[in-house]
Amino acid sequence: EIGDFQAIDPSEHTYFGDLYGNRFSIVVRQEERNEAQKIDHKKLPKPSNHFMNYFGMQRFSTNQLAHLLGIAILKNDFELATSLFYYRNTRYAKDLRYFLNKYDQTGEVYYQTLKEMPLQEILFAIRSYTAYVFNSMVNHRLEMDSENLLVGDFVVKNNQQLLKGDPNLFENEIHVITDQTKKEDIDSGKYSIRDLVLPILGNKICIPENLNDFIEREIEDKQNLSFPESFIKTPNFLSKNKHMR
């Protein structure tokens, strides 16, 4: 059964990253009983634990090459990027061969060829790398302390603004835990680990101070990229002011 959908104007294109989230209804059936027993979710105890919101495998593609392609593009290694694009998207093999021949004498054969490929595939690859960094950032932050907030953390209470990707979210909604506000913010219970948010790398993203060393190791040391300079070069490729719980 299909429901809860509507037609939209064809001019209103849908792109990667437009999805706010997924909403699920879980049905619990007890076959030994004749009548379904309704569950009043308001009366259920609140869970004592929490979980971090990782990017799933679909963000990295089935062949696990997407984030490597994203790294190559950000490093301007267009020869490697073209090869990875081919192995990740064999359905474009004919197009790739055509443009490689077309631009063979230009001196920028791989760069020009990659520009001819579908933009959404390029965007997906770069976002796959930012998702890879995000998941690694989550692991690193949990290793620091998986139960408590720390000085430097970003926290937010307004879920709706977070889901909508408000471009002014950082200025309007995100609060930074500092030495001066630690007692008021953490010790009083005003914020908890449930309110923690982490940034998704982009060209206008702030990094929590307690994660600067991680970014230096993961971005600069491992990949020889610089943040945010390497991301500013591709301003149309990446998200702006996006954070996730």
Side-chain angles (χ1 to χ4, degrees):
E1 182 180 350
I2 300 177
D4 193 22
F5 66 91
Q6 63 180 0
I8 63 172
D9 189 317
S11 63
E12 298 180 11
H13 300 291
T14 301
Y15 298 105
F16 287 118
D18 287 347
L19 179 67
Y20 291 162
N22 298 312
R23 181 177 179 178
F24 299 94
S25 295
I26 300 176
V27 179
V28 179
R29 292 186 173 88
Q30 295 176 310
E31 296 181 359
E32 69 276 9
R33 298 189 180 185
N34 295 326
E35 295 183 0
Q37 187 178 36
K38 291 185 178 180
I39 299 176
D40 186 349
H41 66 88
K42 294 181 181 179
K43 294 181 180 180
L44 292 175
K46 292 184 178 180
S48 58
N49 297 320
H50 52 271
F51 65 91
M52 295 301 291
N53 188 15
Y54 289 93
F55 281 103
M57 297 304 294
Q58 69 272 19
R59 182 55 69 102
F60 305 102
S61 75
T62 55
N63 55 25
Q64 301 295 294
L65 293 176
H67 73 289
L68 299 177
L69 173 57
I71 294 172
I73 293 171
L74 290 173
K75 295 175 73 170
N76 294 327
D77 189 343
F78 299 116
E79 181 175 358
L80 175 59
T82 302
S83 298
L84 288 171
F85 190 95
Y86 170 78
Y87 286 110
R88 203 184 90 77
N89 304 278
T90 54
R91 63 185 181 276
Y92 295 114
K94 183 177 179 179
D95 294 331
L96 281 168
R97 286 194 295 269
Y98 170 79
F99 289 114
L100 285 171
N101 290 328
K102 178 180 178 180
Y103 296 114
D104 185 42
Q105 304 300 322
T106 65
E108 294 184 330
V109 55
Y110 298 109
Y111 171 72
Q112 294 294 344
T113 298
L114 206 61
K115 282 182 61 178
E116 296 285 357
M117 296 300 102
L119 177 61
Q120 293 308 314
E121 294 287 348
I122 304 299
L123 293 175
F124 181 87
I126 295 178
R127 287 168 178 162
S128 177
Y129 173 59
T130 62
Y132 173 85
V133 174
F134 177 85
N135 284 357
S136 300
M137 188 186 303
V138 170
N139 290 336
H140 178 76
R141 175 58 185 82
L142 292 179
E143 288 174 359
M144 294 170 66
D145 193 323
S146 62
E147 296 295 331
N148 303 291
L149 291 173
L150 302 173
V151 171
D153 281 338
F154 293 169
V155 291
V156 65
K157 284 289 189 183
N158 192 329
N159 283 327
Q160 293 304 312
Q161 295 299 104
L162 189 68
L163 287 174
K164 292 179 180 178
D166 180 5
N168 299 314
L169 178 64
F170 190 84
E171 292 82 0
N172 298 337
E173 301 294 339
I174 287 183
H175 179 71
V176 182
I177 306 294
T178 66
D179 286 318
Q180 291 72 28
T181 65
K182 178 179 180 293
K183 184 175 182 179
E184 176 186 352
D185 292 337
I186 302 178
D187 298 344
S188 68
K190 181 179 180 180
Y191 295 101
S192 73
I193 193 72
R194 294 172 180 270
D195 304 310
L196 175 69
V197 292
L198 297 175
I200 302 172
L201 295 186
N203 59 5
K204 290 187 178 180
I205 288 295
C206 295
I207 301 296
E209 289 186 4
N210 57 16
L211 293 175
N212 281 335
D213 290 344
F214 165 81
I215 291 296
E216 182 177 347
R217 292 194 304 272
E218 187 67 33
I219 304 295
E220 300 180 7
D221 295 345
K222 287 187 179 180
Q223 304 302 340
N224 197 28
L225 293 168
S226 58
F227 182 82
E229 289 77 13
S230 296
F231 297 83
I232 293 175
K233 294 176 183 177
T234 53
N236 295 323
F237 283 172
L238 299 172
S239 58
K240 296 180 180 180
N241 291 352
K242 287 198 175 181
H243 298 76
M244 285 181 61
R245 287 187 185 275

